[in-house]
Amino acid sequence: LVRELVQRFRNARRDPALAVLEGFHPLKHALRFDASVARCVTRDVRGLLELCGELAPDLVDKIERVTHEVPGAVFDELAPLPPDTGVIAIAMRPAVSAQRALSDEERGAPLVLLEGPAHRGNVGAVIRASASAGASAVVTTGTLDPWDPAVIRGSAGLHYAIDVSRVEELGDVRGPLIALDPEGEALVPGSVPSNAVLAFGSERRGLSDALLSRADRRVAIPMQAGVSSMNLATAVAVVLYAWRLAADHKGTKASA
Ligand SMILES: C[S@@+](CC[C@H](N)C(=O)[O-])C[C@H]1O[C@@H](n2cnc3c(N)ncnc32)[C@H](O)[C@@H]1O
């Protein structure tokens, strides 16, 4: 039975239909946004429910219902880096089409497009910021799986609050394609349309010439002299909140 459990968690890490949620925060957000949890184990049920009572009292009953306790030595075999919060789960990935998100004519909030990102923690932080700001989706290109367990750790499970998917190659894109590029025109609050596709480059190389030449506009976040670029996730947060704060302000003025 122990071997079977260990094998199940190992297989889940490579299964494109499943997501491995390492730790309490990914589990919390996944459950709050209606993930279907297939297996959830802890090394200490009492400790987990106490933590849940402190941090997410709304989920105590749900977590108690889905979680089983296993010995600490077994728990430690379920992930390369067993989470400190002593809980790990397997959940279903929602079915999301990257191409459908990119060619959506009715998009009501910007879509974040990451071209060939390399760093799992960064992609997780992008998804977290995008879910917070209310973006419509995050789409990645390149080989990194945006549902990798380390990315889900970085997003604290907010993959379940926003559509997250990957395409090998960028095809049809609807809505204004805005390339975020330190060489572009300065970002002006209120200038990011809600139907935009906001493209961000990889950590090492920035945006490709192919993407820059397809873009309708190139926009730069102003920086102090001598600074060459911002961190990818920070740049995403700045642009999304430039959109979000202007949209909220317009809404407040309209209803006053
Ligand atoms: C870490 S940066 C890439 C740095 C890379 N060495 C380069 O030369 O472009 C990752 C991405 O964040 C975005 N970015 C970072 N700072 C930016 C800024 N000040 N203005 C616009 N976009 C920025 C760009 O899309 C960039 O490709």
Side-chain angles (χ1 to χ4, degrees):
L1 270 177
V2 167
R3 282 290 111 215
E4 208 177 283
L5 185 68
V6 171
Q7 199 54 49
R8 192 162 171 199
F9 271 84
R10 261 187 211 153
N11 293 345
R13 302 180 86 79
R14 293 186 295 269
D15 187 332
L18 299 176
V20 175
L21 312 174
E22 298 177 333
F24 179 73
H25 295 287
L27 176 65
K28 171 188 76 180
H29 280 131
L31 287 174
R32 207 171 263 160
F33 291 96
D34 294 329
S36 160
V37 171
R39 198 81 172 85
C40 179
V41 294
T42 178
R43 58 156 71 102
D44 171 13
V45 155
R46 246 184 49 180
L48 175 66
L49 293 178
E50 262 172 40
L51 182 71
C52 189
E54 274 167 39
L55 301 180
D58 53 313
L59 294 175
V60 171
D61 290 347
K62 231 181 200 177
I63 288 190
E64 190 170 17
R65 241 179 293 127
V66 297
T67 311
H68 297 97
E69 193 171 89
V70 294
V74 174
F75 185 84
D76 287 346
E77 284 197 56
L78 301 180
L81 255 185
D84 294 342
T85 46
V87 64
I88 188 164
I90 299 172
M92 307 306 293
R93 291 190 198 189
V96 174
S97 159
Q99 196 45 62
R100 194 170 320 136
L102 287 163
S103 42
D104 180 5
E105 308 261 12
E106 316 268 294
R107 189 178 306 119
L111 178 152
V112 173
L113 173 64
L114 303 182
E115 195 187 32
H119 190 280
R120 291 171 174 77
N122 257 344
V123 178
V126 165
I127 292 166
R128 190 170 186 171
S130 302
S132 308
S136 60
V138 176
V139 174
T140 63
T141 67
T143 53
L144 187 146
D145 175 9
W147 282 82
D148 180 284
V151 180
I152 301 175
R153 269 193 198 217
S155 81
L158 284 162
H159 281 66
Y160 287 91
I162 182 170
D163 285 357
V164 176
S165 55
R166 179 171 75 95
V167 273
E168 296 277 332
E169 293 285 327
L170 195 61
D172 182 36
V173 171
R174 297 294 161 95
L177 177 59
I178 301 180
L180 276 297
D181 175 25
E183 309 283 302
E185 66 194 72
L187 173 66
V188 175
S191 67
V192 179
S194 293
N195 63 347
V197 171
L198 303 172
F200 297 83
S202 72
E203 296 87 339
R204 183 83 58 87
R205 287 190 297 274
L207 283 167
S208 66
D209 290 342
L211 201 141
L212 286 170
S213 62
R214 275 185 71 167
D216 298 298
R217 280 164 58 199
R218 295 185 193 185
V219 171
I221 302 163
M223 296 182 292
Q224 293 297 93
V227 179
S228 48
S229 71
M230 296 171 75
N231 161 273
L232 172 61
T234 310
V236 170
V238 168
V239 180
L240 284 179
Y241 273 93
W243 160 74
R244 169 70 190 255
L245 295 174
D248 285 359
H249 183 64
K250 215 163 122 192
T252 318
K253 277 212 319 212
S255 61

